[in-house]
Amino acid sequence: MKRRCRPTLPAHPITEDFFGKILLGQPKSRDSRLADGGGGCKLPRMSNPTEPQSSQPIIAMCRPTHFGVQYEINPWMEGNIGRADAARAREQWDALHALLAENAEVRVMEPVPHLPDMCFIANAGLVLEDVFVPAVFRVPQRAPEVPHFRQWLEEQDFTVETIDGDSAFEGEGDALFHPSADDTPLLWAGYGVRSGLLSHRRLTEIFRCEVVSLRLVDQRFYHLDTCLAPLPDGGLMYYPAAFGHRSLEAIHARIPEADRVEVSTEDALGFCCNAVIVGQTLVATHASGDLRNTLAARGLEVITTPLDEFILAGGAAKCLCLKLDQPVPGPLAAREAPLSPIRTGNVELTGHLLDRGVMNRALDTITEAGGSFRAEQFAPGLRHDQPSACRLRISAPSQA
């Protein structure tokens, strides 16, 4: 398959230090239906077959009945509208389902017509214990999926907690729990392409865990689960070039070098990190021999299954699955919510923001420093010789 990646100045100088000073201040805090199986190869048995069903991991999937590439909202979709083979996609989905159903309880949601991306259920939201946080999609094409996902998860007896509609959050695609025995779980959370940084503060409050914000810098890896996968032994598999340098520092500070598995560009573009983990097995659509050997040395096995029809839309194995249980200690209610390090502040810009490039420089300074922004007000001049005004709401991952 061929892949396509396809003024009056402010009173303060626009520098990283300037925005950093603005954002100082303390953050606010606050105290399933089972599907029938299909054909395909089997995973090696990873748990005692005499154990009860409840001991198996629980995964949600959504049938690709209406799947197709009908619009372009990521680089993988460019040039692929109408190219997906619906029948072949269903066969590939069935094979993935059959693999996972060998060692997991798989609950299948029926899709809704005219919503072709509902099969990418990882973006429905995020689950921990009995709490479900539904997505707030940045792109309007996927927003109509949310009430259907929410209703289905409520029918599965999950309690819904929400994120402010002004802060984009695209579910487990941008939020991955790290296997841990510590009292405070760790959640890797991506931002910068589809999810907004400010949503991470709310995730800290809801799940009472440490949220490590990771800025994505390559549009091809638009969700965190396309370039990072927490491993069941506590290691981390990731593609370094997909992250900003401060985010790499955050990874290095938490994961020892011996437990970091850096993947090649070839493996990353083959969606190796977009893997579903069941026991000690990774189910993905691609893995090179070198990567397989590296993971085997850690006692992990990789099983691959074709998903190229879904890659036309920018998704693979993990995108097609939502975890309904997580490898983190509980109970959630017994933990104190840590303070989120995220800072917010407002900046007002006035002058010739557009024709002198001030606006571009301001936004580049924010994002290159690891922050994110939302334009709360913008009043352009009616003529090129008239000033414009803009108010930005800025979020930064930390005081530093």
Side-chain angles (χ1 to χ4, degrees):
M1 181 195 72
K2 183 178 181 181
R3 299 183 177 88
R4 299 175 174 84
C5 299
R6 298 187 159 230
T8 299
L9 295 175
H12 302 277
I14 302 175
T15 64
E16 182 175 328
D17 289 341
F18 164 54
F19 287 112
K21 292 176 181 177
I22 288 176
L23 300 181
L24 294 180
Q26 295 304 312
K28 296 179 180 179
S29 63
R30 59 152 231 184
D31 194 326
S32 293
R33 298 166 192 10
L34 293 180
D36 49 8
C41 57
K42 298 182 177 181
L43 288 174
R45 180 62 63 180
M46 291 168 285
S47 59
N48 188 331
T50 64
E51 292 178 350
Q53 182 79 355
S54 61
S55 68
Q56 295 182 318
I58 307 173
I59 296 170
M61 298 181 71
C62 182
R63 296 189 194 278
T65 308
H66 309 292
F67 170 70
V69 182
Q70 299 180 12
Y71 40 69
E72 296 180 358
I73 57 174
N74 66 61
W76 299 89
M77 288 179 157
E78 294 175 9
N80 288 326
I81 291 178
R83 287 189 58 201
D85 184 326
R88 189 162 184 267
R90 287 193 291 271
E91 292 174 357
Q92 293 180 348
W93 186 94
D94 286 343
L96 174 64
H97 173 272
L99 279 171
L100 299 175
E102 286 295 319
N103 292 278
E105 177 186 345
V106 183
R107 302 180 185 179
V108 176
M109 176 182 179
E110 297 300 329
V112 176
H114 312 299
L115 296 176
D117 280 345
M118 276 195 74
C119 57
F120 297 123
I121 196 173
N123 305 126
L126 183 63
V127 167
L128 180 62
E129 297 181 13
D130 63 345
V131 175
F132 170 64
V133 178
V136 179
F137 283 105
R138 181 180 297 277
V139 293
Q141 292 90 337
R142 297 200 63 183
E145 301 172 18
V146 175
H148 302 290
F149 286 134
R150 176 170 178 161
Q151 179 181 348
W152 188 78
L153 268 296
E154 286 178 328
E155 291 171 353
Q156 306 294 310
D157 295 325
F158 287 94
T159 300
V160 173
E161 293 277 359
T162 59
I163 286 179
D164 190 314
D166 290 334
S167 184
F169 169 62
E170 301 213 349
E172 200 173 55
D174 266 332
L176 298 167
F177 282 103
H178 195 88
S180 173
D182 296 340
D183 292 336
T184 301
L186 185 152
L187 178 67
W188 304 107
Y191 74 100
V193 180
R194 297 279 281 271
S195 291
L197 179 60
L198 195 55
S199 66
H200 298 179
R201 177 183 289 181
R202 178 65 175 142
L203 293 175
T204 302
E205 296 172 353
I206 295 172
F207 294 121
R208 301 169 181 262
C209 65
E210 178 188 8
V211 177
V212 181
S213 301
L214 302 176
R215 186 168 74 96
L216 305 177
V217 298
D218 188 327
Q219 291 282 342
R220 296 171 299 177
F221 304 98
Y222 59 97
H223 280 146
L224 184 65
D225 67 358
T226 65
C227 52
L228 180 144
L231 299 175
D233 62 358
L236 190 72
M237 180 170 70
Y238 65 108
Y239 178 51
F243 300 93
H245 73 276
R246 294 188 180 186
S247 297
L248 290 176
E249 291 173 355
I251 290 173
H252 296 168
R254 291 164 177 80
I255 305 297
E257 184 175 2
D259 287 329
R260 300 196 298 261
V261 178
E262 299 184 358
V263 306
S264 68
T265 300
E266 174 196 352
D267 276 322
L269 292 175
F271 281 71
C272 72
C273 291
N274 200 242
V276 184
I277 298 174
V278 181
Q280 301 300 303
T281 299
L282 284 70
V283 181
T285 191
H286 169 83
S288 66
D290 288 344
L291 180 58
R292 289 175 184 270
N293 292 337
T294 298
L295 294 173
R298 303 181 65 88
L300 304 175
E301 182 176 8
V302 180
I303 292 180
T304 57
T305 185
L307 294 167
D308 51 284
E309 293 301 328
F310 297 100
I311 290 178
L312 292 173
K318 178 63 191 71
C319 294
L320 295 167
C321 298
L322 173 68
K323 291 184 176 181
L324 299 185
D325 58 0
Q326 301 286 354
V328 298
L332 187 155
R335 296 194 296 268
E336 290 291 331
L339 289 177
S340 171
I342 293 173
R343 305 295 197 269
T344 61
N346 291 325
V347 172
E348 295 189 358
L349 306 177
T350 59
H352 295 282
L353 305 180
L354 302 179
D355 54 349
R356 295 187 183 178
V358 175
M359 195 72 176
N360 285 343
R361 295 203 306 275
L363 301 183
D364 286 345
T365 298
I366 295 168
T367 56
E368 290 170 5
S372 64
F373 63 87
R374 182 175 74 243
E376 295 191 332
Q377 182 179 352
F378 181 61
L382 299 180
R383 294 161 44 94
H384 71 86
D385 57 351
Q386 291 181 326
S388 301
C390 179
R391 183 170 67 243
L392 299 174
R393 180 71 169 172
I394 302 175
S395 302
S398 69
Q399 177 174 312

